[in-house]
Amino acid sequence: MSAARPALDAAALGSQMHELATELFPITRSVAGPGFRDSLDILEGVTGPMERHRFETGTRAFDWTVPQEWVIREAWIKDPAGDTVVSLADSNLHVVSHSEPVHRRMALDELQSHLWSLPEQPDAIPYRTSYYNRSWGFCLTERRRRRLEPGEYEVYIDSDLTDGHVEMGEITIPGSTTEEILLSTYLCHPSMANNELSGPVVVAYMAKLLAERERQPRFTYRLLFAPETIGAVCYLSRFGDRLLERLAAGYVVTCVGDPGDFTYKLSRRGDSLADRAAKHVLGFSDEGHQVIDFYLPRSDERQYGSPGFNLPVGSFLRSTASDFAEYHTSLDDLTFVTAGALGDSLAMLHRIVEALEAAETLEAVLPYCEPQLSPRGLYPTTGALRQVEQSRADMMFLLNYCDGGTDLLAAADRWQRPIWDLRPVADLLMDHDLLRPVQ
Amino acid sequence: MSAARPALDAAALGSQMHELATELFPITRSVAGPGFRDSLDILEGVTGPMERHRFETGTRAFDWTVPQEWVIREAWIKDPAGDTVVSLADSNLHVVSHSEPVHRRMALDELQSHLWSLPEQPDAIPYRTSYYNRSWGFCLTERRRRRLEPGEYEVYIDSDLTDGHVEMGEITIPGSTTEEILLSTYLCHPSMANNELSGPVVVAYMAKLLAERERQPRFTYRLLFAPETIGAVCYLSRFGDRLLERLAAGYVVTCVGDPGDFTYKLSRRGDSLADRAAKHVLGFSDEGHQVIDFYLPRSDERQYGSPGFNLPVGSFLRSTASDFAEYHTSLDDLTFVTAGALGDSLAMLHRIVEALEAAETLEAVLPYCEPQLSPRGLYPTTGALRQVEQSRADMMFLLNYCDGGTDLLAAADRWQRPIWDLRPVADLLMDHDLLRPVQ
Amino acid sequence: MSAARPALDAAALGSQMHELATELFPITRSVAGPGFRDSLDILEGVTGPMERHRFETGTRAFDWTVPQEWVIREAWIKDPAGDTVVSLADSNLHVVSHSEPVHRRMALDELQSHLWSLPEQPDAIPYRTSYYNRSWGFCLTERRRRRLEPGEYEVYIDSDLTDGHVEMGEITIPGSTTEEILLSTYLCHPSMANNELSGPVVVAYMAKLLAERERQPRFTYRLLFAPETIGAVCYLSRFGDRLLERLAAGYVVTCVGDPGDFTYKLSRRGDSLADRAAKHVLGFSDEGHQVIDFYLPRSDERQYGSPGFNLPVGSFLRSTASDFAEYHTSLDDLTFVTAGALGDSLAMLHRIVEALEAAETLEAVLPYCEPQLSPRGLYPTTGALRQVEQSRADMMFLLNYCDGGTDLLAAADRWQRPIWDLRPVADLLMDHDLLRPVQ
């Protein structure tokens, strides 16, 4: 990563984010229920109070119906000898999320149809949900499952499925314009760290950085902490029109806690401001980064980018689901996610945000022939020769290129210079009334 | 060639086509005359009755004039000893097509100016025509020509050049819309097999396949059997306005009987539906295929693609004239053309036709957020994991990509999947009212 | 360089140009003053009388102010022993251009702040100017400077800075249309040969070639000999509106006397007629040529291409400033510039001019189907087979491609043939009323 102008103490922030993830980790979250609300409460310790949006059970949101809330108190299987096979107390992945209550005895054969394990990863407990079908089930390691002996088992799930709400928290940072940037992250998995605690903790700290920003940002920022899929669908059902009118760029932030290279998943448009900013920043910051197709399966960007909305929302991540074997298992824990990776991810997201802020559309105040730089004291005279020449070349480039037709990000791409190096040159020229923003 | 959905028995059809070519081979065809008409009669045995279009001798068609009909009964050269040097009875390539009658004695020196041979291919009789200049001549092998001794020769051509018609046959298969697809092939060479009997026999069987198609096609198909150049020119002079209004795509089909890889010659537009369909099908079917420039010299696509028409007509062939040495000689015979190659060519053309049929423009019925697949029973649950994932990814792709702006062929190209795999997925989604055609 | 149709005797012209450069070399030119005017007088010996444009000292031209004229008669430094260290009489690079008069004695320490040398090139006298700040100074070799001993030095500059004019000369060759081509070169450096005498001598001879051209050109040519920067700025302040209305293409011509490969610097638009013609000609003529970005620093093309004008003006050169170490020093002399290179540069510029002339937009007179070539005697029958086929293919290509939508340069690029080979084919087809210009 090259030296970025918008510096922040990534190491210190990384440690704080890892601590926050550690606090959130044990909570049994699902798309609706007390675990989700408790998690939002904890995140508010960093972000300050969130605006809470609630969607009642049974409400239609496009093709979807808001599910019931799920409360889980206890869940276990006992073997024929009365020994506990698995228990919610050991891992909240052991019970299929939104399992209905059950208390029965049954033969192993019948039990097997309610058990889920991963033959290829014999030590991992898989993660499984049943939001939209009433059923119940247990997840366990393949190794443990293989040791189950024939006989009568007792299964017990003490849960409630009750009408309530799908809920989400939103932070708004007002900008000097009504154009909006959306950072959307999801928070509904139980004890898994990269997918998905890394996203919420990074976005929470991004909220903090934006709130503490020295100057008011140009854009109005919306930072959304929602359950996956149903959250984005509900949010769009209520606020989609506003996004269609105002959204300049957005990112779904997820899987940003592992030490892999960065990945950017393009928005459906492929050349939106969101895409240009992310590609620019990653291109100048992480040689190993990858840019992937919008149409690959992933997450909430599919809702924002559904054809009726076609919003300029990409996805910012490190390793994708197909890149890491720990995905959707108990192996995705707090050792897989590192403080260093969280810190770097926040720094990179911050850089993308600052690139968006920097990407104004400017025009030359004196567009006919070159202006004279020396009478304005703009000829750099100190510094190494190469720096002086670069600085002069940057000035001359901007004075010619900026004709009000493209923004500074396009200029930086054209000139193959990072926008964090070019923006200060533009600022200097603006101070001398040689460039001005296009209104 | 990968497994294609629209299956047909290529081997059996290949044999039938080779037999048909064998029946047509001996006839002395030219652009106008009984040989051409007899050949159409034979093709009607496969296609059913054709509509015959006739253009009178002397009619102007753009820059061209319809020539006279040619009837040839006998033609030979006798050497000073009275022995026959060449005779029409041995090969109808021996006489220059549309030679005027002659019966004279002359010295070898004078005769030489009426003889044509190929020094580089000493065993081949070249093919030569004189449609638009009154003259006469003989073609023979270079080897035979070298053995000619000085002395007086007798030449005899018993032919007529009389006013009549240029004629062509057309099969129309009505579709559910008035948009048209043109398959144009030419049929005016005497005994040569790849160029050009292979084209007419494949198009004749394509007519049969279309007539026997289970469902009525979307497009109306025009299959044209005409003499080369003058046929296309005459057809355009009468039907060009209709083509300009209705033609969606077209192909000139020729040289499809040799076992070489497929060649697609782009239409003048380069990105027409004809081009997209042919490139898509060949791209997923024949690794060795080549796509060549419209502006290379060839045949009737130059008339359809003349700048005033600029119709979306490419050319479908295997080896091009410059690829095979047998071109326009007696070596282009029924051993050079194989039943297997004819069968494969028909199968490939059929696949292109079905790709055109499949290339509807669809739109998502529920364009806001993703629709739920599981309540509709659309989540594939059986099959190998990779197939299940592919099937789900195909569905999600189509539901997002299909916004009424592009057709299914563009979707398949974007998704890098053969349209014959993607169309059934689209059909399934249409059955569930999730996709619909754009009217 | 492949054989070009528009042939000229490059060797003889190269020698004449080198002689002209030799005559111009010793004159002490600057942006304003007698040296510049004397140089124009000498160039008029080749071009004939120029129209002189004058801009009074103090006049504002956009962001610039016309400077005073500079007359220099004598300039030297004497060391403590009274020996001459440097003198204008030895090299007119020794005195900083536009130095104000001075006659003083001073210690070496004080003198040092008025001296300029190049530590990395110890035998070169650098070139330095002070047009817009009143000051004085001397340039000398680093080697000489190092030998200066402490003590009292006498400096003497006998110069005047007086109100007068910036002046430039223009040759106009009227064409059959009012569309214009601009060849702009600059002439304000004292004794340096490649940068910049090579440009003026090549453009002067180009004026001669245009004036002697057999047929009147289509375009009206403007050939401008001006001081660098202030000349282009002043010219644009007076004639910018006409250029905006009429300029079809233009080139800044400079640094064309060294034997390096050709360089083309794109116009700001990047795809203007100027760019297409230069890239076409260099692409078919000089394998080693390079095409460089408009935004790189250079010269007057920056004024023509300032965002308010955005004129289609590129730059035609051989080695760029960053390619040759002699740039802006006494090493850029008449041995660095060769007669051969000057001759080749003129030939190449001539070819570009003729490519522009050839680049008419044509359309087929018979756009429906192909016209018959043989009745018009257009089928080539003599020549090597490959030539005959190429000639026929060229004809068929042009008859199809020329639909009035693009010019012949685009056609030649599309067909990958040099325009000097394709234009005669187009002429032949025009003679036969098969192609005609679009009005």
Side-chain angles (χ1 to χ4, degrees):
Chain A
M1 222 186 284
S2 78
R5 197 150 304 247
L8 46 78
D9 187 345
L13 290 166
S15 298
Q16 292 171 36
M17 286 187 282
H18 200 271
E19 278 169 38
L20 179 60
T22 307
E23 187 180 354
L24 290 163
F25 191 78
I27 299 170
T28 304
R29 277 169 296 276
S30 80
V31 291
F36 186 89
R37 273 190 287 270
D38 293 348
S39 301
L40 281 190
D41 293 346
I42 291 170
L43 287 167
E44 283 180 330
V46 173
T47 64
M50 298 183 186
E51 185 180 5
R52 303 287 182 107
H53 306 300
R54 288 183 186 80
F55 298 82
E56 239 178 300
T57 299
T59 306
R60 288 292 292 178
F62 302 116
D63 196 44
W64 299 72
T65 305
V66 175
Q68 291 186 303
E69 291 195 21
W70 184 57
V71 179
I72 179 78
R73 283 172 294 267
E74 198 177 340
W76 44 254
I77 305 173
K78 286 191 177 151
D79 67 13
D83 292 328
T84 301
V85 178
V86 295
S87 167
L88 179 70
D90 297 325
S91 164
N92 55 30
L93 295 183
H94 276 314
V95 64
V96 170
S97 188
H98 282 226
S99 281
E100 60 188 347
V102 65
H103 191 184
R104 283 179 51 204
R105 292 176 174 277
M106 62 185 70
L108 178 58
D109 275 2
E110 187 185 348
L111 177 61
Q112 288 287 15
S113 69
H114 293 273
L115 299 185
W116 306 93
S117 60
L118 298 168
E120 316 79 27
Q121 292 176 282
D123 293 315
I125 310 167
Y127 166 55
R128 198 168 169 90
T129 68
S130 184
Y131 299 143
Y132 302 103
N133 296 306
R134 281 197 78 106
S135 69
W136 62 267
F138 285 89
C139 299
L140 71 171
T141 67
E142 176 72 9
R143 203 174 297 280
R144 183 69 193 82
R145 186 177 194 173
R146 284 187 203 142
R147 293 203 332 265
L148 298 179
E149 313 246 333
E152 197 182 59
Y153 284 75
E154 182 181 1
V155 298
Y156 179 66
I157 296 181
D158 179 15
S159 67
D160 289 327
L161 282 163
T162 56
D163 286 355
H165 299 89
V166 153
E167 187 164 339
M168 60 199 72
E170 185 178 38
I171 295 286
T172 302
I173 317 274
S176 61
T177 71
T178 57
E179 280 198 289
E180 296 190 359
I181 305 292
L182 174 70
L183 300 178
S184 177
T185 189
Y186 49 92
L187 173 73
C188 53
H189 293 30
S191 301
M192 282 173 294
N194 196 30
N195 179 29
E196 60 192 359
L197 287 176
S198 65
V201 302
V202 165
V203 173
Y205 272 81
M206 191 67 230
K208 192 171 149 77
L209 291 177
L210 279 165
E212 294 167 356
R213 196 174 189 265
E214 204 174 329
R215 294 177 49 188
Q216 187 186 26
R218 286 199 299 137
F219 293 108
T220 292
Y221 287 79
R222 305 275 184 179
L223 299 91
L224 182 65
F225 305 80
E228 195 174 5
T229 306
I230 188 67
V233 171
C234 285
Y235 188 79
L236 282 163
S237 73
R238 192 172 290 170
F239 301 112
D241 287 345
R242 193 196 68 220
L243 293 180
L244 280 171
E245 193 189 330
R246 298 190 184 173
L247 194 71
Y251 303 98
V252 172
V253 180
T254 183
C255 297
V256 288
D258 69 282
D261 275 310
F262 287 92
T263 297
Y264 178 64
K265 184 166 187 273
L266 292 164
S267 80
R268 186 176 188 267
R269 301 181 191 177
D271 61 354
S272 67
L273 177 60
D275 302 316
R276 293 192 295 121
K279 288 199 289 184
H280 181 89
V281 167
L282 292 176
F284 281 104
S285 306
D286 177 11
E287 272 192 25
H289 81 278
Q290 59 174 339
V291 176
I292 62 175
D293 189 359
F294 170 78
Y295 290 103
L296 294 175
R298 271 227 54 74
S299 181
D300 289 345
E301 71 282 358
R302 307 273 315 213
Q303 312 308 328
Y304 299 117
S306 55
F309 288 114
N310 195 21
L311 291 165
V313 177
S315 185
F316 175 74
L317 42 160
R318 298 185 77 130
S319 295
T320 65
S322 54
D323 289 338
F324 66 100
E326 294 84 354
Y327 179 75
H328 271 199
T329 77
S330 56
L331 305 180
D332 179 3
D333 62 17
L334 289 162
T335 62
F336 180 59
V337 162
T338 70
L342 289 169
D344 280 354
S345 294
L346 177 62
M348 193 68 84
L349 184 61
H350 184 231
R351 200 178 285 186
I352 292 173
V353 161
E354 291 300 330
L356 291 168
E357 287 293 321
E360 274 186 293
T361 298
L362 306 177
E363 68 180 355
V365 177
L366 302 174
Y368 297 101
C369 295
E370 293 186 316
Q372 278 199 283
L373 297 188
S374 48
R376 293 179 172 86
L378 281 173
Y379 261 125
T381 49
T382 56
L385 181 66
R386 230 179 100 183
Q387 262 184 325
V388 167
E389 279 175 2
Q390 181 70 64
S391 175
R392 175 162 185 253
D394 287 349
M395 274 191 268
M396 300 314 276
F397 169 73
L398 286 175
L399 288 170
N400 187 298
Y401 191 82
C402 293
D403 58 6
T406 47
D407 64 25
L408 209 59
L409 201 53
D413 278 335
R414 176 67 178 77
W415 195 226
Q416 296 180 283
R417 296 267 293 146
I419 194 168
W420 50 86
D421 284 349
L422 214 51
R423 178 74 214 195
V425 181
D427 288 337
L428 181 66
L429 295 170
M430 289 172 81
D431 290 345
H432 283 83
D433 290 326
L434 291 173
L435 288 181
R436 67 182 165 219
V438 174
Q439 293 315 334
Chain B
M1 222 185 279
S2 77
R5 193 146 310 242
L8 46 78
D9 187 345
L13 290 166
S15 298
Q16 292 170 36
M17 287 187 281
H18 200 271
E19 277 169 39
L20 179 60
T22 306
E23 185 179 357
L24 289 162
F25 191 78
I27 299 171
T28 304
R29 276 169 296 276
S30 80
V31 289
F36 186 90
R37 273 189 288 269
D38 293 349
S39 301
L40 282 191
D41 293 347
I42 291 171
L43 287 167
E44 283 180 332
V46 173
T47 64
M50 297 183 187
E51 185 180 4
R52 304 284 182 110
H53 306 300
R54 288 184 185 79
F55 299 83
E56 239 178 300
T57 298
T59 305
R60 289 291 291 177
F62 302 117
D63 196 44
W64 300 71
T65 306
V66 175
Q68 291 185 304
E69 291 195 21
W70 185 57
V71 178
I72 179 79
R73 285 172 294 267
E74 196 179 342
W76 43 255
I77 304 173
K78 288 191 178 152
D79 67 13
D83 292 330
T84 300
V85 178
V86 293
S87 167
L88 179 69
D90 297 325
S91 164
N92 56 30
L93 295 182
H94 276 314
V95 64
V96 169
S97 188
H98 281 227
S99 280
E100 59 187 349
V102 65
H103 190 186
R104 281 180 53 204
R105 294 176 173 278
M106 62 186 69
L108 178 59
D109 274 2
E110 188 186 347
L111 177 60
Q112 287 286 15
S113 69
H114 292 274
L115 299 185
W116 305 94
S117 60
L118 298 169
E120 316 78 27
Q121 293 176 280
D123 293 315
I125 309 166
Y127 166 54
R128 197 169 169 91
T129 69
S130 184
Y131 299 142
Y132 301 103
N133 296 305
R134 281 195 79 106
S135 69
W136 61 268
F138 285 89
C139 297
L140 70 172
T141 69
E142 175 72 10
R143 205 175 296 281
R144 184 67 192 84
R145 186 178 193 172
R146 282 187 203 141
R147 294 203 331 266
L148 298 178
E149 312 247 333
E152 198 182 57
Y153 285 77
E154 183 182 1
V155 296
Y156 180 66
I157 297 180
D158 177 15
S159 67
D160 290 327
L161 283 162
T162 57
D163 286 355
H165 298 90
V166 152
E167 186 162 340
M168 61 200 71
E170 186 179 37
I171 294 286
T172 301
I173 316 273
S176 60
T177 72
T178 58
E179 280 198 289
E180 296 190 358
I181 304 292
L182 174 70
L183 300 179
S184 177
T185 189
Y186 49 92
L187 173 72
C188 53
H189 293 31
S191 300
M192 284 174 293
N194 196 29
N195 180 28
E196 58 193 2
L197 287 176
S198 65
V201 302
V202 165
V203 173
Y205 272 82
M206 191 67 231
K208 192 172 149 73
L209 291 177
L210 280 165
E212 294 167 356
R213 197 175 188 265
E214 202 173 331
R215 294 176 48 188
Q216 186 184 29
R218 286 200 300 137
F219 292 108
T220 292
Y221 286 79
R222 305 275 183 179
L223 299 90
L224 181 65
F225 305 81
E228 195 174 5
T229 308
I230 189 67
V233 171
C234 285
Y235 187 79
L236 282 163
S237 74
R238 191 172 290 171
F239 301 111
D241 287 345
R242 192 196 69 219
L243 293 180
L244 280 172
E245 194 189 328
R246 298 192 185 171
L247 194 72
Y251 303 98
V252 171
V253 179
T254 183
C255 297
V256 289
D258 68 282
D261 275 310
F262 287 93
T263 298
Y264 179 66
K265 185 165 186 273
L266 292 164
S267 80
R268 186 174 188 267
R269 302 181 189 176
D271 61 353
S272 67
L273 177 61
D275 302 317
R276 294 192 295 120
K279 287 199 290 183
H280 181 88
V281 168
L282 292 176
F284 280 104
S285 307
D286 176 12
E287 272 193 25
H289 82 279
Q290 59 174 339
V291 176
I292 62 175
D293 189 359
F294 169 78
Y295 289 103
L296 293 176
R298 273 226 52 74
S299 182
D300 289 346
E301 72 281 359
R302 306 274 314 213
Q303 312 308 330
Y304 298 117
S306 55
F309 287 113
N310 195 22
L311 291 164
V313 177
S315 185
F316 175 74
L317 42 160
R318 298 184 78 128
S319 296
T320 66
S322 54
D323 289 338
F324 65 100
E326 295 82 355
Y327 179 74
H328 270 199
T329 76
S330 56
L331 304 181
D332 179 2
D333 62 18
L334 289 163
T335 63
F336 180 59
V337 162
T338 69
L342 289 169
D344 279 354
S345 295
L346 177 63
M348 193 68 84
L349 183 62
H350 184 231
R351 201 179 284 187
I352 292 173
V353 161
E354 291 301 329
L356 291 169
E357 287 293 321
E360 273 186 293
T361 298
L362 306 177
E363 68 181 356
V365 176
L366 304 174
Y368 297 100
C369 295
E370 294 185 316
Q372 277 199 285
L373 297 188
S374 47
R376 293 179 171 86
L378 281 172
Y379 260 125
T381 48
T382 56
L385 181 65
R386 230 179 100 183
Q387 262 184 323
V388 167
E389 280 176 1
Q390 180 69 63
S391 175
R392 176 162 186 253
D394 287 349
M395 275 191 266
M396 300 314 277
F397 168 73
L398 286 174
L399 288 171
N400 187 299
Y401 191 81
C402 293
D403 57 5
T406 47
D407 64 25
L408 209 60
L409 201 51
D413 278 334
R414 176 68 179 76
W415 195 226
Q416 297 180 281
R417 296 267 292 145
I419 194 168
W420 50 86
D421 284 350
L422 214 49
R423 178 74 214 195
V425 182
D427 288 337
L428 181 66
L429 294 170
M430 289 171 80
D431 291 346
H432 283 83
D433 289 325
L434 291 174
L435 289 181
R436 68 181 163 217
V438 174
Q439 294 314 335
Chain C
M1 223 186 282
S2 77
R5 192 148 309 245
L8 46 78
D9 187 344
L13 290 165
S15 297
Q16 292 170 35
M17 286 187 280
H18 201 271
E19 278 169 40
L20 179 60
T22 306
E23 186 180 354
L24 289 162
F25 191 78
I27 299 170
T28 304
R29 276 169 297 276
S30 81
V31 289
F36 186 89
R37 273 189 288 269
D38 293 349
S39 302
L40 281 190
D41 292 346
I42 290 169
L43 287 167
E44 282 180 332
V46 174
T47 64
M50 297 183 186
E51 185 180 5
R52 305 285 183 108
H53 306 300
R54 288 183 186 82
F55 298 82
E56 237 177 301
T57 298
T59 304
R60 289 291 291 177
F62 302 117
D63 197 44
W64 300 71
T65 305
V66 175
Q68 291 186 302
E69 291 195 20
W70 185 56
V71 180
I72 180 79
R73 284 173 293 267
E74 198 177 341
W76 44 256
I77 304 173
K78 287 191 177 152
D79 68 12
D83 292 330
T84 299
V85 179
V86 295
S87 167
L88 179 69
D90 296 326
S91 164
N92 56 29
L93 295 182
H94 277 315
V95 63
V96 169
S97 188
H98 281 225
S99 280
E100 61 188 345
V102 65
H103 191 181
R104 282 179 54 201
R105 291 175 174 277
M106 61 185 69
L108 178 58
D109 274 5
E110 187 186 347
L111 177 59
Q112 288 287 14
S113 69
H114 293 275
L115 298 185
W116 306 94
S117 60
L118 298 167
E120 315 79 26
Q121 292 176 280
D123 293 315
I125 310 167
Y127 166 55
R128 199 169 167 90
T129 69
S130 183
Y131 299 142
Y132 302 103
N133 295 307
R134 282 196 78 105
S135 69
W136 62 268
F138 285 88
C139 298
L140 71 172
T141 68
E142 176 72 9
R143 202 174 299 280
R144 183 69 193 83
R145 187 179 193 172
R146 282 187 203 143
R147 294 204 332 264
L148 298 179
E149 314 247 330
E152 196 182 59
Y153 285 76
E154 184 183 358
V155 298
Y156 180 66
I157 296 181
D158 178 16
S159 68
D160 289 328
L161 282 163
T162 57
D163 285 356
H165 298 90
V166 153
E167 188 164 338
M168 61 199 70
E170 186 179 37
I171 295 286
T172 302
I173 316 274
S176 61
T177 72
T178 57
E179 279 199 290
E180 295 190 0
I181 305 292
L182 174 70
L183 300 179
S184 176
T185 188
Y186 50 91
L187 173 73
C188 54
H189 292 31
S191 301
M192 284 173 294
N194 196 30
N195 179 30
E196 59 193 358
L197 287 177
S198 66
V201 303
V202 164
V203 173
Y205 272 81
M206 192 66 231
K208 193 172 148 76
L209 292 177
L210 279 165
E212 294 167 356
R213 196 173 189 267
E214 203 173 330
R215 295 177 48 188
Q216 187 185 27
R218 286 199 299 137
F219 292 110
T220 293
Y221 286 79
R222 305 275 183 179
L223 298 93
L224 182 65
F225 304 81
E228 193 175 6
T229 308
I230 189 67
V233 171
C234 285
Y235 187 80
L236 282 163
S237 74
R238 193 172 288 170
F239 302 111
D241 286 346
R242 192 195 70 220
L243 293 180
L244 280 170
E245 192 189 330
R246 298 191 184 171
L247 195 71
Y251 303 98
V252 172
V253 179
T254 183
C255 297
V256 288
D258 68 281
D261 275 310
F262 286 93
T263 297
Y264 179 64
K265 185 167 187 273
L266 292 163
S267 81
R268 185 175 188 268
R269 301 181 191 176
D271 62 353
S272 66
L273 177 60
D275 302 317
R276 294 191 294 122
K279 287 199 289 184
H280 181 88
V281 168
L282 292 176
F284 280 105
S285 307
D286 176 13
E287 272 193 26
H289 82 279
Q290 59 174 338
V291 176
I292 62 175
D293 188 359
F294 169 78
Y295 289 103
L296 294 176
R298 272 227 53 74
S299 182
D300 289 346
E301 71 282 357
R302 307 274 314 212
Q303 312 308 328
Y304 297 117
S306 54
F309 288 113
N310 196 20
L311 290 165
V313 178
S315 184
F316 174 74
L317 41 159
R318 297 183 79 127
S319 295
T320 65
S322 54
D323 288 338
F324 66 100
E326 295 83 355
Y327 179 75
H328 270 200
T329 77
S330 56
L331 304 180
D332 179 2
D333 62 19
L334 290 163
T335 62
F336 180 59
V337 161
T338 69
L342 289 169
D344 280 355
S345 294
L346 177 62
M348 193 68 84
L349 184 61
H350 184 231
R351 200 178 285 187
I352 292 173
V353 161
E354 291 300 330
L356 291 168
E357 287 293 320
E360 273 185 294
T361 298
L362 305 177
E363 67 180 357
V365 176
L366 303 174
Y368 297 100
C369 295
E370 294 186 317
Q372 277 198 286
L373 296 188
S374 47
R376 294 179 172 85
L378 281 173
Y379 261 125
T381 49
T382 56
L385 181 66
R386 230 178 101 184
Q387 263 185 322
V388 166
E389 279 176 2
Q390 181 69 64
S391 175
R392 173 159 188 255
D394 287 349
M395 273 191 268
M396 300 314 276
F397 168 73
L398 286 175
L399 288 171
N400 188 298
Y401 191 81
C402 293
D403 58 5
T406 47
D407 64 25
L408 209 60
L409 202 51
D413 278 335
R414 176 68 179 76
W415 196 225
Q416 296 180 283
R417 296 267 294 145
I419 194 168
W420 49 87
D421 284 350
L422 214 50
R423 177 74 214 194
V425 181
D427 288 337
L428 182 66
L429 294 170
M430 289 171 80
D431 290 346
H432 284 83
D433 289 326
L434 291 174
L435 289 182
R436 66 180 164 219
V438 174
Q439 293 315 334

